[in-house]
Amino acid sequence: LVTIGSWSEFASTNQVLESGRKFFNYYNDSCLVKAGGEPAGTLDYYQIHTYADSGTFHPGSPMSVDAASYALDKPVVIGEFAASGTGSTTAALYQHALSGGYGGIWDWALIGGDGVDQMEDAAEGMVAVQADPRTVVDMNASPPTDTCSCSDVAPDDQYTCAEQSGWGACDEDWMAGWCC
């Protein structure tokens, strides 16, 4: 599946959800195809990030409206948010997403350590919607196999990663850790 995390609802819909603000969907199919020149270069779903300003979400924020308010042609996921400082709980915001027709939601910091939300906050949200038949939440799942522990750096200055890949060298033992 293909998506991109949009910084805000302002860049994700043409619906004016807040007076005095400009809204434009930069990620609609026609814009993306025009920008990239690829007919299949489109998103499978929209992902909107949202953060409170002085403890309050904007009137057009995914935390203030339901997904249908954006009048989009694909599912909408709340791709990044934090409950900290809003007076709301992570559980309540996850439940809002579910009842508001969003295709999913995930908290800002699963690992934490940034003083915002932590693993416990994200877990609180996931547990809050876990029993709903529309969701799939497995709090005991094993982490996926690490496929990102390598560099995109060639082993020498003689050949590029693209060349190594073209020759089928990526599966060679001597390429371990090089050219993902």
Side-chain angles (χ1 to χ4, degrees), residues 118-134:
Q118 310 299 322
M119 172 63 166
E120 295 78 17
D121 298 305
E124 172 194 334
M126 290 184 271
V127 167
V129 298
Q130 186 174 21
D132 190 290
R134 297 171 290 177

Side-chain angles (χ1 to χ4, degrees), residues 16-157:
V16 177
L17 300 170
E18 187 176 339
S19 65
R21 296 280 195 158
K22 293 189 179 212
F23 288 80
F24 184 79
N25 182 3
Y26 290 95
Y27 306 106
N28 68 59
D29 290 353
S30 62
C31 283
L32 292 175
V33 170
K34 185 176 179 182
E38 295 292 331
T42 62
L43 302 180
D44 293 306
Y45 64 96
Y46 293 98
Q47 182 198 148
I48 302 174
H49 298 183
T50 188
Y51 287 94
D53 183 14
S54 301
T56 305
F57 289 103
H58 290 276
S61 162
M63 297 306 184
S64 302
V65 300
D66 61 23
S69 298
Y70 296 111
L72 295 170
D73 57 344
K74 298 175 184 179
V76 181
V77 168
I78 302 172
E80 189 175 295
F81 77 97
S84 297
T86 66
S88 188
T89 65
T90 304
L93 296 176
Y94 270 70
Q95 290 166 334
H96 162 77
L98 187 59
S99 66
Y102 289 93
I105 182 172
W106 54 82
D107 200 311
W108 158 244
L110 186 61
I111 296 172
D114 62 358
V116 185
D117 287 355
Q118 310 299 322
M119 172 63 166
E120 295 78 17
D121 298 305
E124 172 194 334
M126 290 184 271
V127 167
V129 298
Q130 186 174 21
D132 190 290
R134 297 171 290 177
T135 65
V136 177
V137 177
D138 184 353
M139 299 295 286
N140 298 312
S142 299
T145 303
D146 181 1
T147 59
C148 298
S149 294
C150 58
S151 69
D152 195 23
V153 176
D156 58 40
D157 293 336

